[in-house]
Amino acid sequence: MLRIAIVEDDLGDRRHLQEMIDRFSEACGECCIATVFGSGAEFLEGYQPNYDLVLMDVEMPGLDGLETARELRMLDRTVILIFITNMAQYAIRGYEVDALDYVLKPVSYYSFEMKMKKVRRILAERQGNSVVLSSKGELRRIPVRSILYVEVRDHSLYYYTGEGEFSATGSMKKLEQELEPQGFARCNNCYLVNLMYVRAVNQEQVVVGETELKISRPRRKAFMQALSAYYGGGGK
């Protein structure tokens, strides 16, 4: 299933993109769920990293597409972003916000299909980056990019993700060894944090998404080094 956000202020263009998505979904047999936003501000309000793809209009009143994309990258560094625009020179600046590509209006189905096939290839490559856990008697696969942080409590691991909270038995030490190369670090003995979602760090706390987690003095130096390396290397 592809989860797509359409950020477009023009009603006609929104409908046209939805038609393109429906046509692609039928042609490739992939279930595509699109959520529509009429402005950049509406899209960013309460944003959760639940999308595989964002289709972003460049020219919008208020926050334009590039400004919205800059804000988006502070919240989600890995969601695939494609700009929709009347003028290619605007979309070329997409490298500033790590956009995958752009599509010129009026959007032709052939062009849209080519971009969507590229998106599917990238997502298929990413699919291997997931953890499998036994939760409530069933096996569940969770994409690594959706995990904000993991907490160990009462001999169980609690995974806090954009899609909810999941608990499972397991070893925090073993999980840390698995996820550390993918951009995770411990801020104390209880929390393993996805550095992608760190918004701020002060003397006592790490802000992960909307949650404040305690950072311990013994782990602070290593955590800050890991965070510096992560952003210095452009993330994972």
Side-chain angles (χ1 to χ4, degrees), residues 1-4 21-33 52 116 119-121 123-124 127:
M1 179 176 70
L2 282 178
R3 297 160 298 181
I4 304 170
I21 291 169
D22 291 343
R23 182 175 172 183
F24 179 79
S25 177
E26 184 176 353
C28 72
E30 176 90 57
C31 177
C32 298
I33 305 297
D52 300 303
M116 291 297 289
V119 168
R120 290 187 76 197
R121 287 196 298 270
L123 291 173
Q127 195 64 37

Side-chain angles (χ1 to χ4, degrees), residues 110-156:
Y110 175 77
S111 177
F112 182 81
E113 182 183 38
M114 293 301 101
K115 311 301 183 188
M116 291 297 289
K117 286 181 176 179
K118 183 190 295 187
V119 168
R120 290 187 76 197
R121 287 196 298 270
I122 292 171
L123 291 173
E125 291 171 359
R126 288 182 179 177
Q127 195 64 37
N129 296 327
S130 60
V131 295
V132 178
L133 54 93
S134 177
S135 178
K136 297 181 180 178
E138 64 180 20
L139 291 177
R140 181 183 296 272
R141 182 181 294 274
I142 299 178
V144 169
R145 66 179 292 271
S146 75
I147 301 171
L148 281 77
Y149 65 95
V150 183
E151 177 185 11
V152 59
R153 187 173 77 244
D154 299 329
H155 307 292
S156 294

Side-chain angles (χ1 to χ4, degrees), residues 14 22 71-72 138 150 154 208 219:
R14 291 202 300 264
D22 291 343
E71 294 289 328
L72 170 64
E138 64 180 20
V150 183
D154 299 329
V208 183
R219 289 191 178 270

